[in-house]
Every structure is written in C-alpha cells, then in structure tokens.
Amino acid sequence: MSFLHALTVDVEDWPQSTLDHALPVTERAVVNTRRMLELFARCNVRGTFFVLGRLARKFPHIVREIDDAGHEVASHGYSHKPVFKIGPQTFADELEHSVKLLEDITGRPVHGYRAPDFSITSESLWALDILGEYGLTYDSSVMPVPMRRYGIDGFPRHIHRLDNGLIEVPLSTISFAFRRWPVAGGGYLRLYPYRVTAHAIRRLQSEGLPAVVYLHPYELDPAEIREVSFPVAARTRVTQGLGRRHIESRLSRLFTEFRFGPLSEVIEPNLETAPAAAPLSATSGFRPRPASPVGVESVLR
Ligand SMILES: [Zn+2]
C-alpha cells in the first residue's frame, strides 16, 4: 500500500477569518465548501475538515454534508481570533463551545483541533495543555519554523505525543538552504509551482514523514477578491488571491500522484514509526529558541 498523506481543510469564510473577525460569515463559504466536497468526491479522496464554530452555528447543514460525505469533522475554534490574543480562559470557552456545536450537529465525537492562523506559538503553549485536559486526541496547529506571525523554532517536524497525552501533528516543512520552509498548504500550495510541491512531498515521504496538506474552501474561488464589497489591500490581494485559479487542477493532479486521507487515519501508523526523539511537553522540556528574522513568505498562510 502506498504512503498515506494527510489532507486537511480549514472551513471558514475568507473576509471574516482574514480581514475582520467582526464580519458576518457569508453563504459564499458554504458554496465554496460544497465545491471542495465535489472535487474530493470526483477524485475519490477523504480528509479532515477543521470547521470554524461561527460557520457551523450559522450553516449547520454544511457540517452535515461534510460528515455525510465520509470526511472527518474537527474543530477550528469558534471566532478565528488568534489563540495568543484571546488568552487561556477565552480559548477554553471557545474550544468547548465549538466542539459541542460540531458534536451536536454530527452526533459524533470531535477528536482534533487546529488553531486559527497556526496561532499556537511559544507564547501560547498553554493551549496544548488545555486541549489535552479537554480530552481531544490530537492538535495540528504548530508550524515548526518561525514566521512573522506564527511558528515555533526548533519544534519537532514529526507526529509525536506530548507528555499530557495529546498528539501533535506539526505542519509540513522541508529543510533547504540552512533553514526550514513550509510546504504543501494554503498560500505555499498556490504560489509554489506544482513541481516544487510534488518534490517536497516526495522528500517528506523519503524521510518517512506524511505531508500535511491544508486548504481553505475560498482558495477554489478566484472571483471572490474582486467581488467583495470593501477595499482589500494590494498586498493582501496578491498573497490571498494569486493562484486560486489553478488550485483545482493542481489538487486533482496531486490526488492522482499521491494518496491522501484524514488525519485520524494518518496519525496512528506514523506515531509508531516517528523518528526517535525525546517527547516534548507543552509546558516543560521544550524550550523554544528566540525567533530569528523571517522571509517574504511570512504573510502567507
Ligand atoms: Zn483558519
């Protein structure tokens, strides 16, 4: 059987999650999520959908559609405010609210969590303790390379169990030119040429690491940026809009070249074969190094 990589989707509405958290979640997110479900069905792939609580509350039927199609439903928090900004109490409240909402809609337990904008950083490692205490099985929120707004320098790249029992699934990076580079998700998937992403996934595979591909439904919607009713900064237009037109064909190609599945199926075999390394605790044993200067990719996500 060929190597299984992880396919993940953060289900949210682009203006509300990226431009202003106070904006309403719009129907456009539902249309785009459906487009993604259709693409996955055509390509016969399943994945993990981290659904934002605010979207699930307003449009519960799309959560049911995701679940009915055989995908895993997991939590993307409630408001999309960064974890390091909301603090432990609000984080715990949002987590509970969002998980309960999803479980009530699907009738199944939620096992996983992904923070908005990978906002579990060295300043918010307490979130990993709260996720463990709450009884979740895994988290997939840490980018193991320092970026401008997120990432932790020196964090392990492989799937590993923390001292509190929580399993951490870091986002994919490869080493090149003396540093780690994020690959295989979001802006990186849209902006790097296809062959770069495919090469990166083969590299990860040769290291025994599954790629963790992450997507957003809006990335299949090239018209959105010119159709939104408020001004969007030029830089945001480029980083958030470029490559949306190509993502569907790029994903179809990726799905024929590599095998993908939900995180719940990727974690178990990889936890057993993870490279030997001292298990790290969310609060002890791991000492993040000071952040180093970052490159141009820091505004992508
Ligand atoms: Zn998000």
Side-chain angles (χ1 to χ4, degrees), residues 21-163:
H21 298 135
L23 288 171
V25 174
T26 70
E27 183 94 35
R28 194 158 190 144
V30 174
V31 173
N32 289 334
T33 303
R34 229 169 247 147
R35 200 179 285 182
M36 193 155 269
L37 288 173
E38 284 160 15
L39 170 68
F40 287 7
R42 272 201 308 280
C43 298
N44 199 24
V45 289
R46 287 178 306 114
T48 298
F49 285 64
F50 294 98
V51 184
L52 191 69
R54 276 193 60 190
L55 185 142
R57 191 186 61 177
K58 190 163 178 184
F59 302 110
H61 55 90
I62 192 66
V63 183
R64 257 174 247 124
E65 286 174 42
I66 294 167
D67 181 62
D68 287 348
H71 302 289
E72 179 185 13
V73 172
S75 170
H76 194 37
Y78 190 77
S79 66
H80 214 275
K81 291 176 185 161
V83 173
F84 50 73
K85 280 200 181 153
I86 59 179
Q89 188 56 56
T90 305
F91 174 75
D93 293 346
E94 281 211 10
L95 176 69
E96 185 173 8
H97 189 184
S98 70
V99 168
K100 190 166 180 325
L101 198 54
L102 297 173
E103 290 183 341
D104 285 348
I105 295 168
T106 65
R108 293 179 211 273
V110 163
H111 297 295
Y113 173 82
R114 172 169 293 149
D117 298 339
F118 313 123
S119 55
I120 296 185
T121 64
S122 49
E123 292 94 72
S124 50
L125 286 173
W126 42 260
L128 298 175
D129 290 331
I130 294 171
L131 291 166
E133 276 164 32
Y134 191 67
L136 289 193
T137 307
Y138 70 88
D139 170 69
S140 180
S141 303
V142 178
M143 182 66 81
V145 58
M147 315 296 281
R148 192 176 59 172
R149 293 182 308 170
Y150 55 80
I152 301 179
D153 198 8
F155 197 83
R157 295 166 65 227
H158 60 273
I159 299 172
H160 58 283
R161 197 184 288 279
L162 301 168
D163 286 352

Side-chain angles (χ1 to χ4, degrees), residues 2-8 40 43-48 184 189 194 197 201 205 210-214 250-263 265-266:
S2 60
F3 202 91
L4 187 66
H5 298 280
L7 178 62
T8 70
F40 287 7
C43 298
N44 199 24
V45 289
R46 287 178 306 114
T48 298
L189 192 60
Y194 176 83
T197 298
I201 295 177
Q205 195 168 314
V212 181
V213 166
Y214 66 88
R250 193 167 283 194
L251 285 171
S252 306
R253 198 170 159 196
L254 216 52
F255 296 154
T256 59
E257 198 169 337
F258 303 95
R259 201 163 67 92
F260 288 94
L263 274 171
E265 292 174 21
V266 169

